[in-house]
Amino acid sequence: MDEVGTDDLSCLDQDNHRYLSLTGVMVNLNHVDEFLNPQLRLIKNTIFDCDPDEVIHFHRSDIVRRKKVFGQLNDNAKRASFDDMMLNFIRSAEYRVITVVIDKLAMIQQNHWESRHPYHYLLEILVEKYVQLLERVQDFGDIMPEARQGKKDTALQQEFTRLWENGTRYREPALVQRRLKAKSLKFRRKTDNVSGLQLCDLIAHGSHMHVRSIQGHAVELGRFSETIRNVLVAHKYDRSNNGRIDGYGFKYCP
């Protein structure tokens, strides 16, 4: 699970503060071991010249800004090879995506706004959609957020505990507990080099922008994000049995 945007309620007149999304990538743990881990290692070892003991974590903002080892992508040939390998990885991996976007300014202007933390509001919806997916495929899972350290992680765990014990607005607790076996979130840091978190980080921005674009927002998707958007729409967004994506693979609030 990864977020795009800020989770506070200040400066909501500014576009980069107004919208917040949470994206979840659902992937089978066997597939992580058999495909995600070796394929990401292959990309790192093929593209980047660095000490073999150096841990390279794929983080979208570092890639875009060419920070640290990603400065090597200023080489046109190397960047083209990286884009090809990464997009092939995103196409070929087996996973499902759910993205929930909130317009914080519009939400707080509604009479029924409960003054809840925006991140926690989105977590409830994401949990609801995830449980819906797990019930449909008769499976169970857990949730791994990227650790933000300190009070934010503590508050997020408290919110998840509430959802696990009491259910969501539209899903009873028995269903949540049947499909999400663990009562605790599996917090991991960037330095843990978790393949699923890296995959989520790489697609979350493109998914965020796609959901906003279909709401008519004036957003621009670069070539890489546009390609990701096309892959998500064609194959990766969760969808109903009759192929509906809205309400399954993404949701826009309010």
Side-chain angles (χ1 to χ4, degrees):
M1 185 175 76
D2 198 19
E3 79 274 4
V4 174
T6 62
D7 63 3
D8 59 41
L9 294 174
S10 61
C11 304
L12 297 186
D13 57 326
Q14 300 175 24
D15 189 86
N16 61 331
H17 288 279
R18 180 172 174 174
Y19 302 96
L20 173 69
S21 69
L22 279 183
T23 290
V25 168
M26 280 57 70
V27 58
N28 185 282
L29 289 178
N30 290 332
H31 190 63
V32 172
D33 290 336
E34 296 168 1
F35 185 86
L36 263 62
N37 289 342
Q39 287 300 310
L40 285 181
R41 281 196 301 268
L42 177 63
I43 295 172
K44 294 170 184 178
N45 294 336
T46 301
I47 300 297
F48 299 101
D49 301 318
C50 57
D51 189 307
D53 294 327
E54 180 179 353
V55 176
I56 300 175
H57 180 275
F58 289 127
H59 183 44
R60 179 187 172 275
S61 65
D62 288 346
I63 295 170
V64 170
R65 296 169 185 167
R66 302 292 189 259
K67 293 177 65 177
K68 304 175 183 177
V69 70
F70 300 111
Q72 295 181 32
L73 298 179
N74 287 320
D75 178 277
N76 291 337
K78 185 164 287 194
R79 183 173 66 251
S81 296
F82 172 80
D83 287 352
D84 287 345
M85 293 188 74
M86 186 57 73
L87 288 172
N88 186 61
F89 166 75
I90 290 170
R91 290 188 191 99
S92 302
E94 298 174 5
Y95 57 94
R96 281 289 176 266
V97 174
I98 300 172
T99 293
V100 187
V101 180
I102 185 173
D103 178 346
K104 293 181 289 181
L105 178 60
M107 185 59 77
I108 64 173
Q109 292 172 342
Q110 295 199 3
N111 292 331
H112 69 271
W113 174 246
E114 301 169 358
S115 299
R116 292 178 61 192
H117 191 292
Y119 198 106
H120 299 168
Y121 183 85
L122 293 180
L123 176 68
E124 177 171 350
I125 299 173
L126 193 62
V127 166
E128 197 167 86
K129 300 302 178 185
Y130 184 29
V131 168
Q132 174 181 277
L133 181 157
L134 292 170
E135 181 74 2
R136 197 167 63 248
V137 300
Q138 292 295 292
D139 209 339
F140 60 90
D142 50 26
I143 298 178
M144 180 184 291
E146 183 175 298
R148 299 184 294 168
Q149 308 297 318
K151 293 181 179 179
K152 286 188 175 183
D153 288 349
T154 300
L156 189 64
Q157 177 58 61
Q158 291 172 344
E159 175 65 11
F160 179 72
T161 299
R162 184 189 70 81
L163 296 172
W164 196 89
E165 292 178 346
N166 302 310
T168 69
R169 179 168 295 184
Y170 298 108
R171 294 292 180 267
E172 67 277 8
L175 175 59
V176 175
Q177 294 165 21
R178 183 166 71 247
R179 295 303 169 193
L180 301 178
K181 298 295 187 181
K183 193 175 181 178
S184 297
L185 296 168
K186 295 174 64 175
F187 288 102
R188 297 293 185 271
R189 298 168 298 175
K190 282 186 175 64
T191 53
D192 292 324
N193 204 34
V194 178
S195 295
L197 282 178
Q198 292 174 76
L199 172 60
C200 192
D201 182 281
L202 289 166
I203 68 170
H205 182 267
S207 186
H208 173 102
M209 289 302 186
H210 168 63
V211 176
R212 288 190 55 195
S213 72
I214 61 179
Q215 299 299 318
H217 297 185
V219 297
E220 293 185 8
L221 283 79
R223 185 185 66 85
F224 193 87
S225 289
E226 186 173 354
T227 303
I228 289 175
R229 184 268 308 273
N230 294 339
V231 171
L232 298 181
V233 171
H235 305 291
K236 306 303 184 184
Y237 278 130
D238 187 38
R239 58 202 71 203
S240 68
N241 292 330
N242 63 6
R244 178 183 173 184
I245 298 176
D246 189 9
Y248 291 80
F250 58 72
K251 181 175 177 63
Y252 182 84
C253 305

